[in-house]
């Protein structure tokens, strides 16, 4: 029950202070420039063995969004988390895609299904085919 309360609290905070989701770019280079401004490494290995990686999402409407993906490498790189980026004054925040999509002025059919590519090729990721092309 605590997770439900945390989810409600997060949603209430987002609704009272709507995030400015970064993206909707016509060229992938703008998404890369945003990711370059964020000091995290391109690939980070979490304690549980999953990998969080900087990535670019290609939305169904052919626009680009900088993002972070969490990949389950034990399952060949299956995506288990997608986070879009919002800008708050001089900081960046990661917003789970499930929440962020409500703050983007687009229909779901314009966003999904999306393709992606990580900035760096990830060893053991068989889901992302033909890197650096979008999968």
């Amino acid at each position: 029950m605590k997770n439900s309360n945390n989810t409600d609290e997060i949603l209430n905070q987002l609704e009272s202070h709507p995030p400015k989701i970064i993206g909707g770019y016509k060229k992938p280079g703008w998404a890369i420039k945003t990711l370059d401004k964020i000091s995290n490494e391109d690939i980070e290995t979490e304690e549980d063995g999953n990998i969080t990686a900087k990535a670019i999402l290609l939305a169904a409407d052919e626009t680009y969004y900088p993002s972070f993906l969490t990949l389950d490498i034990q399952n060949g790189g299956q995506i288990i988390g997608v986070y879009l980026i919002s800008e708050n004054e001089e900081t960046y925040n990661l917003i789970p895609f499930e929440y962020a999509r409500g703050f983007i002025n687009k229909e779901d059919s314009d966003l999904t299904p999306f393709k992606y590519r990580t900035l760096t090729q990830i060893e053991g990721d068989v889901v992302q085919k033909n890197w650096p092309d979008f999968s």
Side-chain angles (χ1 to χ4, degrees):
M1 199 61 142
K2 188 173 183 175
N3 282 344
S4 176
N5 289 339
N6 287 344
T7 299
D8 291 342
E9 187 176 319
I10 291 169
L11 284 173
N12 287 335
Q13 287 176 356
L14 290 173
E15 288 173 3
S16 63
H17 301 291
K20 177 188 169 196
I21 304 297
I22 298 172
Y25 300 125
K26 294 188 185 290
K27 296 187 178 191
W30 291 106
I32 292 171
K33 285 182 185 240
T34 298
L35 291 168
D36 285 345
K37 292 178 186 177
I38 298 172
S39 63
N40 295 57
E41 296 293 325
D42 287 356
I43 300 171
E44 295 180 357
T45 303
E46 307 297 333
E47 290 179 15
D48 59 6
N50 292 329
I51 289 182
T52 300
K54 290 181 179 180
I56 301 168
L57 300 183
L58 172 58
D61 68 357
E62 300 291 315
T63 59
Y64 299 90
Y65 290 83
S67 67
F68 281 78
L69 301 178
T70 302
L71 307 174
D72 182 349
I73 291 302
Q74 294 177 356
N75 284 315
Q78 178 182 8
I79 297 173
I80 56 174
V82 178
Y83 304 89
L84 295 183
I85 300 167
S86 72
E87 193 170 14
N88 183 5
E89 296 176 16
E90 292 188 23
T91 63
Y92 293 102
N93 296 307
L94 298 181
I95 311 276
F97 181 75
E98 299 81 29
Y99 301 147
R101 69 192 318 164
F103 298 99
I104 299 172
N105 293 325
K106 292 186 178 185
E107 297 293 323
D108 276 351
S109 61
D110 290 334
L111 294 172
T112 58
F114 60 79
K115 296 179 181 180
Y116 74 96
R117 78 168 181 90
T118 55
L119 294 189
T120 304
Q121 189 171 18
I122 299 170
E123 188 175 326
D125 181 2
V126 297
V127 173
Q128 187 174 198
K129 296 177 175 35
N130 302 318
W131 187 93
D133 293 334
F134 285 87
S135 296

mmCIF file of all heavy atoms in Angstrom, residues 18-64:
data_model
loop_
_atom_site.group_PDB
_atom_site.id
_atom_site.type_symbol
_atom_site.label_atom_id
_atom_site.label_comp_id
_atom_site.label_asym_id
_atom_site.label_seq_id
_atom_site.Cartn_x
_atom_site.Cartn_y
_atom_site.Cartn_z
ATOM 1 N N PRO A 18 3.763 21.113 -13.123
ATOM 2 C CA PRO A 18 3.977 20.318 -14.341
ATOM 3 C C PRO A 18 5.412 20.438 -14.863
ATOM 4 O O PRO A 18 5.943 21.539 -14.978
ATOM 5 C CB PRO A 18 2.991 20.915 -15.351
ATOM 6 C CG PRO A 18 1.962 21.606 -14.522
ATOM 7 C CD PRO A 18 2.676 22.070 -13.290
ATOM 8 N N PRO A 19 6.025 19.299 -15.135
ATOM 9 C CA PRO A 19 7.407 19.327 -15.634
ATOM 10 C C PRO A 19 7.456 19.764 -17.095
ATOM 11 O O PRO A 19 6.517 19.543 -17.856
ATOM 12 C CB PRO A 19 7.856 17.872 -15.497
ATOM 13 C CG PRO A 19 6.594 17.091 -15.614
ATOM 14 C CD PRO A 19 5.519 17.938 -14.985
ATOM 15 N N LYS A 20 8.557 20.381 -17.455
ATOM 16 C CA LYS A 20 8.811 20.730 -18.849
ATOM 17 C C LYS A 20 9.647 19.586 -19.421
ATOM 18 O O LYS A 20 10.852 19.492 -19.180
ATOM 19 C CB LYS A 20 9.591 22.046 -18.935
ATOM 20 C CG LYS A 20 9.958 22.432 -20.352
ATOM 21 C CD LYS A 20 10.883 23.633 -20.361
ATOM 22 C CE LYS A 20 11.442 23.813 -21.759
ATOM 23 N NZ LYS A 20 12.596 24.686 -21.769
ATOM 24 N N ILE A 21 8.990 18.700 -20.155
ATOM 25 C CA ILE A 21 9.671 17.542 -20.728
ATOM 26 C C ILE A 21 10.489 18.008 -21.928
ATOM 27 O O ILE A 21 9.988 18.696 -22.810
ATOM 28 C CB ILE A 21 8.667 16.452 -21.155
ATOM 29 C CG1 ILE A 21 7.786 16.032 -19.979
ATOM 30 C CG2 ILE A 21 9.397 15.260 -21.768
ATOM 31 C CD1 ILE A 21 8.514 15.403 -18.820
ATOM 32 N N ILE A 22 11.751 17.619 -21.941
ATOM 33 C CA ILE A 22 12.655 18.012 -23.015
ATOM 34 C C ILE A 22 12.517 17.023 -24.164
ATOM 35 O O ILE A 22 12.535 15.811 -23.948
ATOM 36 C CB ILE A 22 14.108 18.055 -22.506
ATOM 37 C CG1 ILE A 22 14.234 19.102 -21.409
ATOM 38 C CG2 ILE A 22 15.076 18.334 -23.641
ATOM 39 C CD1 ILE A 22 15.571 19.098 -20.712
ATOM 40 N N GLY A 23 12.398 17.543 -25.358
ATOM 41 C CA GLY A 23 12.332 16.667 -26.526
ATOM 42 C C GLY A 23 11.368 17.175 -27.567
ATOM 43 O O GLY A 23 10.979 18.338 -27.563
ATOM 44 N N GLY A 24 11.005 16.269 -28.459
ATOM 45 C CA GLY A 24 10.173 16.630 -29.593
ATOM 46 C C GLY A 24 10.998 17.257 -30.700
ATOM 47 O O GLY A 24 10.481 17.962 -31.554
ATOM 48 N N TYR A 25 12.301 16.964 -30.677
ATOM 49 C CA TYR A 25 13.227 17.547 -31.647
ATOM 50 C C TYR A 25 13.062 16.899 -33.019
ATOM 51 O O TYR A 25 12.748 15.724 -33.126
ATOM 52 C CB TYR A 25 14.672 17.364 -31.187
ATOM 53 C CG TYR A 25 14.991 17.996 -29.867
ATOM 54 C CD1 TYR A 25 15.532 17.246 -28.830
ATOM 55 C CD2 TYR A 25 14.775 19.352 -29.636
ATOM 56 C CE1 TYR A 25 15.847 17.826 -27.613
ATOM 57 C CE2 TYR A 25 15.082 19.939 -28.421
ATOM 58 C CZ TYR A 25 15.619 19.165 -27.412
ATOM 59 O OH TYR A 25 15.926 19.737 -26.205
ATOM 60 N N LYS A 26 13.334 17.669 -34.052
ATOM 61 C CA LYS A 26 13.253 17.157 -35.420
ATOM 62 C C LYS A 26 14.529 16.435 -35.838
ATOM 63 O O LYS A 26 14.533 15.695 -36.807
ATOM 64 C CB LYS A 26 12.944 18.293 -36.389
ATOM 65 C CG LYS A 26 11.565 18.893 -36.163
ATOM 66 C CD LYS A 26 11.195 19.864 -37.233
ATOM 67 C CE LYS A 26 9.895 20.556 -36.949
ATOM 68 N NZ LYS A 26 8.737 19.731 -37.056
ATOM 69 N N LYS A 27 15.620 16.639 -35.079
ATOM 70 C CA LYS A 27 16.899 15.986 -35.389
ATOM 71 C C LYS A 27 17.474 15.365 -34.116
ATOM 72 O O LYS A 27 17.382 15.960 -33.041
ATOM 73 C CB LYS A 27 17.887 16.995 -35.963
ATOM 74 C CG LYS A 27 17.422 17.562 -37.295
ATOM 75 C CD LYS A 27 18.472 18.425 -37.915
ATOM 76 C CE LYS A 27 17.943 18.912 -39.262
ATOM 77 N NZ LYS A 27 18.938 19.527 -40.063
ATOM 78 N N PRO A 28 18.105 14.195 -34.238
ATOM 79 C CA PRO A 28 18.640 13.528 -33.049
ATOM 80 C C PRO A 28 19.788 14.284 -32.395
ATOM 81 O O PRO A 28 20.035 14.124 -31.202
ATOM 82 C CB PRO A 28 19.093 12.167 -33.573
ATOM 83 C CG PRO A 28 19.297 12.353 -35.036
ATOM 84 C CD PRO A 28 18.322 13.413 -35.456
ATOM 85 N N GLY A 29 20.490 15.117 -33.143
ATOM 86 C CA GLY A 29 21.619 15.853 -32.585
ATOM 87 C C GLY A 29 21.245 16.730 -31.405
ATOM 88 O O GLY A 29 22.028 16.904 -30.474
ATOM 89 N N TRP A 30 20.025 17.267 -31.416
ATOM 90 C CA TRP A 30 19.586 18.107 -30.300
ATOM 91 C C TRP A 30 19.398 17.275 -29.040
ATOM 92 O O TRP A 30 19.701 17.724 -27.935
ATOM 93 C CB TRP A 30 18.305 18.856 -30.664
ATOM 94 C CG TRP A 30 18.552 19.892 -31.707
ATOM 95 C CD1 TRP A 30 18.201 19.845 -33.027
ATOM 96 C CD2 TRP A 30 19.264 21.124 -31.532
ATOM 97 N NE1 TRP A 30 18.645 20.970 -33.671
ATOM 98 C CE2 TRP A 30 19.296 21.776 -32.780
ATOM 99 C CE3 TRP A 30 19.872 21.735 -30.445
ATOM 100 C CZ2 TRP A 30 19.914 23.005 -32.966
ATOM 101 C CZ3 TRP A 30 20.494 22.962 -30.628
ATOM 102 C CH2 TRP A 30 20.503 23.584 -31.876
ATOM 103 N N ALA A 31 18.922 16.052 -29.195
ATOM 104 C CA ALA A 31 18.774 15.166 -28.046
ATOM 105 C C ALA A 31 20.151 14.810 -27.483
ATOM 106 O O ALA A 31 20.347 14.775 -26.272
ATOM 107 C CB ALA A 31 18.005 13.911 -28.441
ATOM 108 N N ILE A 32 21.107 14.579 -28.367
ATOM 109 C CA ILE A 32 22.473 14.269 -27.927
ATOM 110 C C ILE A 32 23.061 15.453 -27.166
ATOM 111 O O ILE A 32 23.699 15.275 -26.125
ATOM 112 C CB ILE A 32 23.361 13.875 -29.122
ATOM 113 C CG1 ILE A 32 22.900 12.532 -29.688
ATOM 114 C CG2 ILE A 32 24.835 13.812 -28.722
ATOM 115 C CD1 ILE A 32 23.560 12.144 -30.988
ATOM 116 N N LYS A 33 22.838 16.674 -27.651
ATOM 117 C CA LYS A 33 23.358 17.861 -26.962
ATOM 118 C C LYS A 33 22.805 17.955 -25.548
ATOM 119 O O LYS A 33 23.529 18.316 -24.618
ATOM 120 C CB LYS A 33 23.021 19.130 -27.743
ATOM 121 C CG LYS A 33 23.875 19.306 -28.973
ATOM 122 C CD LYS A 33 23.542 20.609 -29.683
ATOM 123 C CE LYS A 33 24.330 20.694 -30.960
ATOM 124 N NZ LYS A 33 25.201 21.819 -31.034
ATOM 125 N N THR A 34 21.528 17.648 -25.376
ATOM 126 C CA THR A 34 20.941 17.656 -24.037
ATOM 127 C C THR A 34 21.613 16.617 -23.157
ATOM 128 O O THR A 34 21.992 16.906 -22.018
ATOM 129 C CB THR A 34 19.422 17.384 -24.102
ATOM 130 O OG1 THR A 34 18.795 18.423 -24.852
ATOM 131 C CG2 THR A 34 18.818 17.319 -22.716
ATOM 132 N N LEU A 35 21.778 15.395 -23.671
ATOM 133 C CA LEU A 35 22.407 14.343 -22.873
ATOM 134 C C LEU A 35 23.852 14.677 -22.530
ATOM 135 O O LEU A 35 24.334 14.322 -21.452
ATOM 136 C CB LEU A 35 22.318 13.006 -23.620
ATOM 137 C CG LEU A 35 20.910 12.436 -23.736
ATOM 138 C CD1 LEU A 35 20.884 11.276 -24.723
ATOM 139 C CD2 LEU A 35 20.381 12.001 -22.382
ATOM 140 N N ASP A 36 24.547 15.372 -23.426
ATOM 141 C CA ASP A 36 25.934 15.769 -23.162
ATOM 142 C C ASP A 36 26.036 16.740 -21.983
ATOM 143 O O ASP A 36 27.061 16.805 -21.313
ATOM 144 C CB ASP A 36 26.570 16.394 -24.402
ATOM 145 C CG ASP A 36 26.925 15.368 -25.464
ATOM 146 O OD1 ASP A 36 26.945 14.152 -25.154
ATOM 147 O OD2 ASP A 36 27.173 15.783 -26.612
ATOM 148 N N LYS A 37 24.980 17.495 -21.721
ATOM 149 C CA LYS A 37 24.979 18.457 -20.615
ATOM 150 C C LYS A 37 24.812 17.777 -19.257
ATOM 151 O O LYS A 37 25.055 18.385 -18.230
ATOM 152 C CB LYS A 37 23.840 19.467 -20.791
ATOM 153 C CG LYS A 37 24.024 20.388 -21.967
ATOM 154 C CD LYS A 37 22.821 21.318 -22.075
ATOM 155 C CE LYS A 37 22.892 22.172 -23.318
ATOM 156 N NZ LYS A 37 21.681 23.014 -23.458
ATOM 157 N N ILE A 38 24.377 16.529 -19.276
ATOM 158 C CA ILE A 38 24.141 15.790 -18.034
ATOM 159 C C ILE A 38 25.400 15.013 -17.687
ATOM 160 O O ILE A 38 25.935 14.275 -18.508
ATOM 161 C CB ILE A 38 22.916 14.859 -18.194
ATOM 162 C CG1 ILE A 38 21.680 15.718 -18.482
ATOM 163 C CG2 ILE A 38 22.720 14.011 -16.949
ATOM 164 C CD1 ILE A 38 20.440 14.931 -18.841
ATOM 165 N N SER A 39 25.875 15.187 -16.468
ATOM 166 C CA SER A 39 27.193 14.678 -16.086
ATOM 167 C C SER A 39 27.265 13.163 -15.899
ATOM 168 O O SER A 39 28.365 12.624 -15.789
ATOM 169 C CB SER A 39 27.673 15.369 -14.805
ATOM 170 O OG SER A 39 26.795 15.071 -13.733
ATOM 171 N N ASN A 40 26.155 12.465 -15.883
ATOM 172 C CA ASN A 40 26.201 11.006 -15.745
ATOM 173 C C ASN A 40 27.001 10.396 -16.886
ATOM 174 O O ASN A 40 27.034 10.927 -17.988
ATOM 175 C CB ASN A 40 24.786 10.410 -15.793
ATOM 176 C CG ASN A 40 23.936 10.832 -14.629
ATOM 177 O OD1 ASN A 40 23.738 12.017 -14.410
ATOM 178 N ND2 ASN A 40 23.420 9.867 -13.913
ATOM 179 N N GLU A 41 27.606 9.247 -16.606
ATOM 180 C CA GLU A 41 28.297 8.490 -17.645
ATOM 181 C C GLU A 41 27.269 7.991 -18.650
ATOM 182 O O GLU A 41 26.085 7.864 -18.334
ATOM 183 C CB GLU A 41 29.037 7.296 -17.030
ATOM 184 C CG GLU A 41 30.145 7.684 -16.072
ATOM 185 C CD GLU A 41 31.305 8.374 -16.766
ATOM 186 O OE1 GLU A 41 31.614 8.018 -17.922
ATOM 187 O OE2 GLU A 41 31.882 9.283 -16.148
ATOM 188 N N ASP A 42 27.722 7.654 -19.860
ATOM 189 C CA ASP A 42 26.808 7.127 -20.879
ATOM 190 C C ASP A 42 26.179 5.807 -20.451
ATOM 191 O O ASP A 42 25.036 5.513 -20.780
ATOM 192 C CB ASP A 42 27.534 6.930 -22.209
ATOM 193 C CG ASP A 42 27.850 8.238 -22.909
ATOM 194 O OD1 ASP A 42 27.438 9.310 -22.415
ATOM 195 O OD2 ASP A 42 28.515 8.190 -23.960
ATOM 196 N N ILE A 43 26.956 4.998 -19.720
ATOM 197 C CA ILE A 43 26.486 3.699 -19.230
ATOM 198 C C ILE A 43 26.892 3.573 -17.769
ATOM 199 O O ILE A 43 28.055 3.801 -17.422
ATOM 200 C CB ILE A 43 27.122 2.537 -20.020
ATOM 201 C CG1 ILE A 43 26.772 2.630 -21.497
ATOM 202 C CG2 ILE A 43 26.698 1.196 -19.449
ATOM 203 C CD1 ILE A 43 27.546 1.649 -22.352
ATOM 204 N N GLU A 44 25.932 3.198 -16.930
ATOM 205 C CA GLU A 44 26.221 2.964 -15.514
ATOM 206 C C GLU A 44 25.654 1.613 -15.113
ATOM 207 O O GLU A 44 24.495 1.314 -15.414
ATOM 208 C CB GLU A 44 25.601 4.067 -14.647
ATOM 209 C CG GLU A 44 26.216 5.439 -14.894
ATOM 210 C CD GLU A 44 25.606 6.531 -14.036
ATOM 211 O OE1 GLU A 44 24.658 6.248 -13.264
ATOM 212 O OE2 GLU A 44 26.077 7.669 -14.136
ATOM 213 N N THR A 45 26.465 0.808 -14.447
ATOM 214 C CA THR A 45 26.015 -0.493 -13.974
ATOM 215 C C THR A 45 25.489 -0.328 -12.556
ATOM 216 O O THR A 45 26.181 0.202 -11.682
ATOM 217 C CB THR A 45 27.151 -1.521 -13.998
ATOM 218 O OG1 THR A 45 27.657 -1.598 -15.346
ATOM 219 C CG2 THR A 45 26.668 -2.893 -13.562
ATOM 220 N N GLU A 46 24.246 -0.752 -12.354
ATOM 221 C CA GLU A 46 23.607 -0.650 -11.050
ATOM 222 C C GLU A 46 24.029 -1.826 -10.174
ATOM 223 O O GLU A 46 24.579 -2.804 -10.662
ATOM 224 C CB GLU A 46 22.081 -0.631 -11.213
ATOM 225 C CG GLU A 46 21.561 0.419 -12.181
ATOM 226 C CD GLU A 46 21.837 1.857 -11.765
ATOM 227 O OE1 GLU A 46 21.955 2.113 -10.545
ATOM 228 O OE2 GLU A 46 21.942 2.721 -12.644
ATOM 229 N N GLU A 47 23.753 -1.727 -8.873
ATOM 230 C CA GLU A 47 24.130 -2.783 -7.931
ATOM 231 C C GLU A 47 23.495 -4.122 -8.278
ATOM 232 O O GLU A 47 24.080 -5.173 -8.036
ATOM 233 C CB GLU A 47 23.744 -2.386 -6.505
ATOM 234 C CG GLU A 47 24.586 -1.265 -5.936
ATOM 235 C CD GLU A 47 24.162 -0.883 -4.529
ATOM 236 O OE1 GLU A 47 23.412 -1.636 -3.873
ATOM 237 O OE2 GLU A 47 24.596 0.186 -4.082
ATOM 238 N N ASP A 48 22.287 -4.106 -8.848
ATOM 239 C CA ASP A 48 21.586 -5.343 -9.179
ATOM 240 C C ASP A 48 22.012 -5.929 -10.526
ATOM 241 O O ASP A 48 21.458 -6.920 -10.986
ATOM 242 C CB ASP A 48 20.074 -5.136 -9.155
ATOM 243 C CG ASP A 48 19.592 -4.069 -10.122
ATOM 244 O OD1 ASP A 48 20.414 -3.543 -10.912
ATOM 245 O OD2 ASP A 48 18.392 -3.744 -10.087
ATOM 246 N N GLY A 49 22.993 -5.290 -11.193
ATOM 247 C CA GLY A 49 23.490 -5.789 -12.472
ATOM 248 C C GLY A 49 22.808 -5.169 -13.679
ATOM 249 O O GLY A 49 23.274 -5.333 -14.806
ATOM 250 N N ASN A 50 21.709 -4.470 -13.459
ATOM 251 C CA ASN A 50 21.054 -3.785 -14.570
ATOM 252 C C ASN A 50 21.910 -2.603 -15.008
ATOM 253 O O ASN A 50 22.775 -2.137 -14.264
ATOM 254 C CB ASN A 50 19.663 -3.289 -14.165
ATOM 255 C CG ASN A 50 18.698 -4.429 -13.934
ATOM 256 O OD1 ASN A 50 18.799 -5.474 -14.554
ATOM 257 N ND2 ASN A 50 17.753 -4.230 -13.031
ATOM 258 N N ILE A 51 21.654 -2.124 -16.203
ATOM 259 C CA ILE A 51 22.418 -1.005 -16.746
ATOM 260 C C ILE A 51 21.481 0.153 -17.013
ATOM 261 O O ILE A 51 20.383 -0.028 -17.538
ATOM 262 C CB ILE A 51 23.133 -1.427 -18.039
ATOM 263 C CG1 ILE A 51 24.270 -2.385 -17.679
ATOM 264 C CG2 ILE A 51 23.648 -0.227 -18.813
ATOM 265 C CD1 ILE A 51 25.098 -2.841 -18.828
ATOM 266 N N THR A 52 21.916 1.341 -16.626
ATOM 267 C CA THR A 52 21.204 2.564 -16.984
ATOM 268 C C THR A 52 22.063 3.269 -18.017
ATOM 269 O O THR A 52 23.260 3.472 -17.808
ATOM 270 C CB THR A 52 20.969 3.464 -15.754
ATOM 271 O OG1 THR A 52 20.179 2.733 -14.809
ATOM 272 C CG2 THR A 52 20.236 4.739 -16.138
ATOM 273 N N ALA A 53 21.433 3.615 -19.142
ATOM 274 C CA ALA A 53 22.191 4.181 -20.257
ATOM 275 C C ALA A 53 21.493 5.413 -20.817
ATOM 276 O O ALA A 53 20.265 5.470 -20.883
ATOM 277 C CB ALA A 53 22.341 3.138 -21.364
ATOM 278 N N LYS A 54 22.302 6.369 -21.232
ATOM 279 C CA LYS A 54 21.776 7.510 -21.968
ATOM 280 C C LYS A 54 21.317 7.003 -23.330
ATOM 281 O O LYS A 54 22.005 6.190 -23.957
ATOM 282 C CB LYS A 54 22.850 8.578 -22.171
ATOM 283 C CG LYS A 54 23.253 9.302 -20.896
ATOM 284 C CD LYS A 54 24.308 10.349 -21.206
ATOM 285 C CE LYS A 54 24.711 11.113 -19.965
ATOM 286 N NZ LYS A 54 25.743 12.133 -20.283
ATOM 287 N N ALA A 55 20.147 7.492 -23.765
ATOM 288 C CA ALA A 55 19.589 7.004 -25.030
ATOM 289 C C ALA A 55 18.756 8.087 -25.694
ATOM 290 O O ALA A 55 18.363 9.068 -25.059
ATOM 291 C CB ALA A 55 18.727 5.773 -24.772
ATOM 292 N N ILE A 56 18.499 7.871 -26.954
ATOM 293 C CA ILE A 56 17.617 8.747 -27.720
ATOM 294 C C ILE A 56 16.413 7.920 -28.124
ATOM 295 O O ILE A 56 16.553 6.813 -28.652
ATOM 296 C CB ILE A 56 18.322 9.277 -28.982
ATOM 297 C CG1 ILE A 56 19.575 10.036 -28.604
ATOM 298 C CG2 ILE A 56 17.376 10.164 -29.786
ATOM 299 C CD1 ILE A 56 20.473 10.328 -29.780
ATOM 300 N N LEU A 57 15.227 8.454 -27.850
ATOM 301 C CA LEU A 57 13.995 7.808 -28.292
ATOM 302 C C LEU A 57 13.552 8.444 -29.599
ATOM 303 O O LEU A 57 13.580 9.667 -29.737
ATOM 304 C CB LEU A 57 12.883 7.987 -27.260
ATOM 305 C CG LEU A 57 13.110 7.429 -25.867
ATOM 306 C CD1 LEU A 57 11.861 7.653 -25.015
ATOM 307 C CD2 LEU A 57 13.471 5.964 -25.908
ATOM 308 N N LEU A 58 13.144 7.630 -30.527
ATOM 309 C CA LEU A 58 12.551 8.084 -31.780
ATOM 310 C C LEU A 58 11.062 7.791 -31.673
ATOM 311 O O LEU A 58 10.644 6.629 -31.687
ATOM 312 C CB LEU A 58 13.170 7.368 -32.977
ATOM 313 C CG LEU A 58 12.529 7.600 -34.341
ATOM 314 C CD1 LEU A 58 12.513 9.085 -34.707
ATOM 315 C CD2 LEU A 58 13.256 6.794 -35.408
ATOM 316 N N ALA A 59 10.264 8.849 -31.508
ATOM 317 C CA ALA A 59 8.823 8.693 -31.342
ATOM 318 C C ALA A 59 8.178 8.299 -32.670
ATOM 319 O O ALA A 59 8.762 8.474 -33.745
ATOM 320 C CB ALA A 59 8.220 9.993 -30.812
ATOM 321 N N ALA A 60 6.951 7.826 -32.593
ATOM 322 C CA ALA A 60 6.219 7.403 -33.785
ATOM 323 C C ALA A 60 6.025 8.550 -34.769
ATOM 324 O O ALA A 60 5.915 8.319 -35.971
ATOM 325 C CB ALA A 60 4.867 6.816 -33.380
ATOM 326 N N ASP A 61 6.012 9.802 -34.270
ATOM 327 C CA ASP A 61 5.850 10.955 -35.162
ATOM 328 C C ASP A 61 7.178 11.473 -35.712
ATOM 329 O O ASP A 61 7.245 12.589 -36.217
ATOM 330 C CB ASP A 61 5.067 12.076 -34.475
ATOM 331 C CG ASP A 61 5.833 12.728 -33.328
ATOM 332 O OD1 ASP A 61 6.967 12.293 -32.999
ATOM 333 O OD2 ASP A 61 5.294 13.694 -32.753
ATOM 334 N N GLU A 62 8.239 10.658 -35.572
ATOM 335 C CA GLU A 62 9.566 10.981 -36.118
ATOM 336 C C GLU A 62 10.241 12.152 -35.399
ATOM 337 O O GLU A 62 11.033 12.880 -35.987
ATOM 338 C CB GLU A 62 9.506 11.263 -37.624
ATOM 339 C CG GLU A 62 8.984 10.097 -38.452
ATOM 340 C CD GLU A 62 9.939 8.912 -38.503
ATOM 341 O OE1 GLU A 62 11.144 9.125 -38.703
ATOM 342 O OE2 GLU A 62 9.461 7.774 -38.337
ATOM 343 N N THR A 63 9.937 12.343 -34.103
ATOM 344 C CA THR A 63 10.639 13.335 -33.294
ATOM 345 C C THR A 63 11.495 12.591 -32.266
ATOM 346 O O THR A 63 11.275 11.404 -31.991
ATOM 347 C CB THR A 63 9.668 14.303 -32.590
ATOM 348 O OG1 THR A 63 8.778 13.551 -31.750
ATOM 349 C CG2 THR A 63 8.887 15.133 -33.598
ATOM 350 N N TYR A 64 12.459 13.300 -31.707
ATOM 351 C CA TYR A 64 13.469 12.679 -30.848
ATOM 352 C C TYR A 64 13.406 13.232 -29.428
ATOM 353 O O TYR A 64 13.195 14.431 -29.230
ATOM 354 C CB TYR A 64 14.866 12.927 -31.429
ATOM 355 C CG TYR A 64 15.025 12.343 -32.808
ATOM 356 C CD1 TYR A 64 14.724 13.099 -33.941
ATOM 357 C CD2 TYR A 64 15.457 11.038 -32.990
ATOM 358 C CE1 TYR A 64 14.860 12.566 -35.222
ATOM 359 C CE2 TYR A 64 15.595 10.494 -34.253
ATOM 360 C CZ TYR A 64 15.298 11.266 -35.368
ATOM 361 O OH TYR A 64 15.425 10.728 -36.618
#
